[in-house]
Amino acid sequence: STQSTWDRCTSTDFTMPFRITPIIEQLSPYKIEMTLKVRADISNRSHGANCVLKFPVPKATTNVTAEFGVGAVGQTHEYTNSEQVVAWGIKRFEGSTEHVMKARISLSSPVTGNVKKEIGPISMQFEIPNHNVTGIAIRFLKIEERSKSYSPSRWVRNITQATSYIVRV
C-alpha cells in the first residue's frame, strides 16, 4: 500500500503540530483574497523553525500582495510568477500562537468557479526542535561496538521535520 503513516494514524495517536485554515473571498471581478490562519498546536515552550507555507495561484494571476497579522516579526512572502506559487516564510513560530496572512491575488481575467479551484493545495515545511508528535522518546542509548575512529556524543537531539504537510483548500 502507498498509504503514509499520517493517513493510518487516528486522532488519538498524535496531535497535528500546526492547524491551517484557508478562507477564500472574492473582492472584485479581478481580485481574490486568500486568508491563511496557522495555529501552532504545540507546547508554548516549543517553537517551529524555518516554517514555509506554499500554495499555487490561478494561471491568470498578475500580482500578489501580502498583509501579515499584528505583531508579525520575521515573516516574508514571495510570489514566483514563473511557477505561479506564493510562499509565506515564518522564521520562528512560537508554540500556542497563531499567525495570519492575507494574500491579495490580482487576475488578468474575471474570477470564475474554475479560477478558485486553481488555488491550493497548501503545503507546509517546518522543523520543531526537541519535539516528537507520537510521544516516543529515547530514554537510554547504548553503543555496543566502540571504534577508535568514532567518538560518540553524549546527547541525543530530537527534531520533527515535515516536507510533505499538505492541506486541501
Side-chain angles (χ1 to χ4, degrees):
S1 157
T2 59
Q3 194 175 33
S4 74
T5 304
W6 292 109
D7 293 337
R8 290 189 302 263
C9 292
T10 64
S11 61
T12 58
D13 293 329
F14 67 95
T15 314
M16 299 295 276
F18 293 97
R19 189 177 332 146
I20 302 170
T21 308
I23 301 167
I24 300 172
E25 294 180 77
Q26 182 175 339
L27 300 178
S28 72
Y30 293 89
K31 195 168 273 204
I32 297 173
E33 182 176 82
M34 165 82 127
T35 303
L36 276 179
K37 290 182 184 181
V38 183
R39 173 145 183 88
D41 286 337
I42 55 177
S43 165
N44 58 3
R45 294 181 308 241
S46 295
H47 71 278
N50 305 319
C51 301
V52 178
L53 289 95
K54 292 183 179 181
F55 60 93
V57 293
K59 292 175 187 154
T61 300
T62 57
N63 187 33
V64 177
T65 59
E67 180 183 308
F68 303 115
V70 178
V73 176
Q75 296 184 33
T76 60
H77 96 283
E78 182 180 357
Y79 166 60
T80 309
N81 191 22
S82 60
E83 296 177 23
Q84 298 296 117
V85 171
V86 174
W88 174 21
I90 305 169
K91 192 165 182 88
R92 185 177 172 99
F93 201 135
E94 295 295 333
S96 300
T97 61
E98 183 175 270
H99 291 289
V100 178
M101 179 185 80
K102 291 185 178 198
R104 290 189 182 83
I105 304 165
S106 300
L107 305 168
S108 61
S109 59
V111 176
T112 63
N114 290 338
V115 168
K116 287 183 179 180
K117 290 178 185 176
E118 291 181 47
I119 299 175
I122 302 162
S123 66
M124 185 173 184
Q125 297 175 342
F126 59 86
E127 296 176 355
I128 306 173
N130 301 316
H131 180 76
N132 191 327
V133 292
T134 61
I136 296 172
I138 298 171
R139 299 201 187 274
F140 180 74
L141 182 64
K142 183 177 180 181
I143 299 173
E144 292 288 330
E145 194 173 309
R146 290 205 173 203
S147 158
K148 291 186 188 219
S149 63
Y150 176 68
S151 176
S153 173
R154 185 181 169 126
W155 307 106
V156 175
R157 181 175 175 222
N158 293 321
I159 187 164
T160 296
Q161 290 183 315
T163 56
S164 181
Y165 196 82
I166 298 175
V167 175
R168 291 186 176 94
V169 178

